[in-house]
Amino acid sequence: MNTKDKILQASLQLFNEEGEQAVTSVDIANVLDISPGNLYYHYKGKDPIIHQLFADFEEEFKMVLQAPIEKPLELSDNWVYFYILFEEVADFRFFYRNLQALIERYSDLEQQFRALVNLKIKTMASIIFDLNQQGFIRISPIEAAQMAQRFAQQLTYWPINHSLMTPQVSIPVSIHNGVFSLISQLTPYVVEGSDEFLEVTMQFRDKMLKAVQR
Amino acid sequence: MSDKPKKDMDITRKVWLAGIGAYGRALGDVQDAYAKMGKETTKVFDDLVGRGADLEGKVKFAAKNSPMMAEQTVRATVDSVNDRMDRMKAALGLTEAAAEQQDQITGIEARLDIMESKIDAILAAVTPTTKKKAAPKKAASKKTTSK
């Protein structure tokens, strides 16, 4: 890994652990055991680091969010996919936790971030639409639209909720709770006789609990 | 009865296309459109469906016109997300290999439990005197505490 990538990786880790505002570019250089001058040669301060981190995050997240829009997921894959979405947010949680402050300071990122949330809504709508189409759930268009919004909101704001309400809980457990919360919101819409859906859900919940507690 | 789900699907598909068309519009507007649909004209809705279908077509057209770019991006996307799905499944113990491993662990645990109880039984049989000695001690200590 080259120095530029190392700087990005160390910055992301520090931001996530300490909060972006508490970290200076000198801190980043210290962690990497390089001189502040060396860091400055690659990135002229924290601003370009944050922009680069956001660009990388955005590219990856967009790719992930696009997948179910392009091709419907298998029933059991939906839950695994939710997990990946939450994990994606967790990787970049410093930004989500400090959303308002960071958007005010880096105003050019506001529009891009909003576009990303819009894509989340679209992805969630696509998943709900496919489940309806496949006959596992029966949901009205209005409810589906609202649920997609709610799912996207939960996905976007869970880091804030986590640090405010359940800071003692580990990130993986918090992700698990988030995924399970989404799934349980779908269960009232399960079509009667669609045992496959419930079976997959229960099986997934049990295995997930085991995996998380390990 | 049988064509009711089909009709529902059709409606959902149309809403889906309408959603693409209405993207960026306030949700309230769309909901109003839904609410009015039954009574009034479905013009707004149809318009959105049209725009959605149009956009869908345009996306497909754009993809066709730059086959190198579009196909590669799509394939890279699906592959990479599939890889992640596989890794996540393994981490969650949802793959067959992971499930087998879990079964093996449960099997070993069960056998360990049996072995443990057997060892306990053997130990109890081998050292009967220590137990007998321990019993009066307990009784004695009870007496002292009750005083």
Side-chain angles (χ1 to χ4, degrees):
Chain A
M1 200 189 282
N2 62 33
T3 312
K4 254 188 129 137
D5 288 340
K6 274 185 195 162
I7 292 171
L8 286 181
Q9 199 187 36
S11 307
L12 182 60
Q13 200 182 343
L14 275 178
F15 291 161
N16 277 340
E17 280 166 12
E18 319 276 338
E20 182 266 341
Q21 273 153 319
V23 178
T24 65
S25 52
V26 177
D27 292 333
I28 300 165
N30 283 344
V31 163
L32 286 166
D33 209 15
I34 60 173
S35 71
N38 191 0
L39 186 133
Y40 194 77
Y41 169 78
H42 294 288
Y43 292 102
K44 311 253 173 296
K46 247 170 38 166
D47 277 30
I49 292 180
I50 284 171
H51 277 98
Q52 189 56 51
L53 281 175
F54 186 83
D56 290 350
F57 167 74
E58 190 187 31
E59 190 189 0
E60 189 183 297
F61 208 2
K62 269 185 180 169
M63 186 191 79
V64 171
L65 285 168
Q66 209 65 44
I69 299 175
E70 282 161 9
K71 186 173 168 282
L73 299 169
E74 296 285 317
L75 176 62
S76 60
D77 285 353
N78 281 300
W79 308 165
V80 179
Y81 181 75
F82 282 158
Y83 234 95
I84 290 175
L85 293 183
F86 274 85
E87 203 185 54
E88 197 65 38
V89 171
D91 288 347
F92 201 64
R93 58 187 176 278
F94 84 87
F95 200 91
Y96 282 83
R97 266 187 197 149
N98 250 332
L99 200 54
Q100 202 53 44
L102 279 163
I103 275 174
E104 271 164 27
R105 272 170 53 211
Y106 306 97
S107 55
D108 55 318
L109 297 184
E110 181 174 355
Q111 206 185 346
Q112 281 161 274
F113 194 83
R114 196 181 302 121
L116 205 55
V117 177
N118 269 329
L119 185 59
K120 284 179 203 165
I121 299 171
K122 205 172 167 182
T123 299
M124 292 304 190
S126 177
I127 289 172
I128 296 163
F129 168 78
D130 287 331
L131 285 171
N132 189 81
Q133 186 89 322
Q134 291 156 351
F136 293 119
I137 57 168
R138 171 73 47 80
I139 187 165
S140 78
I142 294 172
E143 281 174 307
Q146 281 175 335
M147 189 179 280
Q149 293 242 342
R150 213 158 58 227
F151 278 17
Q153 279 167 11
Q154 252 180 288
L155 181 62
T156 303
Y157 299 113
W158 78 262
I160 295 173
N161 187 63
H162 173 252
S163 56
L164 179 71
M165 302 304 286
T166 54
Q168 75 284 1
V169 169
S170 73
I171 296 284
V173 171
S174 186
I175 291 179
H176 160 72
N177 289 338
V179 172
F180 194 61
S181 167
L182 296 198
I183 298 173
S184 10
Q185 289 175 63
L186 284 166
T187 30
Y189 299 94
V190 174
V191 172
E192 213 178 320
S194 170
D195 297 336
E196 198 188 341
F197 185 101
L198 292 175
E199 251 170 52
V200 165
T201 303
M202 297 312 278
Q203 194 191 18
F204 190 77
R205 188 197 62 177
D206 293 346
K207 280 188 175 165
M208 220 158 48
L209 267 172
K210 264 189 205 159
V212 163
Q213 283 163 353
R214 210 176 288 150
Chain B
M1 269 304 279
S2 63
D3 49 331
K4 195 188 175 288
K6 211 177 173 185
K7 199 186 164 199
D8 280 357
M9 267 182 213
D10 194 41
I11 290 172
T12 329
R13 163 106 189 124
K14 280 189 175 163
V15 167
W16 178 238
L17 288 174
I20 296 174
Y23 232 73
R25 230 181 218 235
L27 179 69
D29 284 5
V30 183
Q31 281 174 339
D32 285 348
Y34 288 141
K36 285 175 193 162
M37 254 174 64
K39 301 166 195 169
E40 295 182 36
T41 171
T42 57
K43 195 186 169 301
V44 180
F45 187 68
D46 288 341
D47 181 41
L48 287 175
V49 171
R51 274 164 59 193
D54 202 35
L55 266 178
E56 215 180 37
K58 270 184 190 158
V59 171
K60 279 177 187 161
F61 180 76
K64 263 189 184 171
N65 276 358
S66 57
M68 284 286 283
M69 278 300 291
E71 291 221 351
Q72 265 180 3
T73 356
V74 169
R75 204 172 300 137
T77 303
V78 173
D79 277 355
S80 168
V81 176
N82 281 348
D83 284 352
R84 279 191 74 168
M85 297 278 278
D86 289 343
R87 266 180 280 138
M88 184 56 82
K89 275 183 203 169
L92 291 171
L94 288 168
T95 55
E96 281 187 14
E100 251 172 51
Q101 206 179 12
Q102 191 54 47
D103 285 350
Q104 277 173 357
I105 291 170
T106 327
I108 290 169
E109 277 172 351
R111 270 184 287 172
L112 275 176
D113 285 346
I114 295 169
M115 272 170 73
E116 215 171 23
S117 62
K118 277 184 181 168
I119 289 170
D120 282 348
I122 291 168
L123 278 177
V126 167
T127 56
T129 44
T130 48
K131 266 201 171 174
K132 274 179 190 167
K133 271 182 188 170
K137 258 188 190 171
K138 268 185 189 169
S141 64
K142 260 188 187 172
K143 269 185 188 172
T144 47
T145 47
S146 61
K147 271 178 187 176

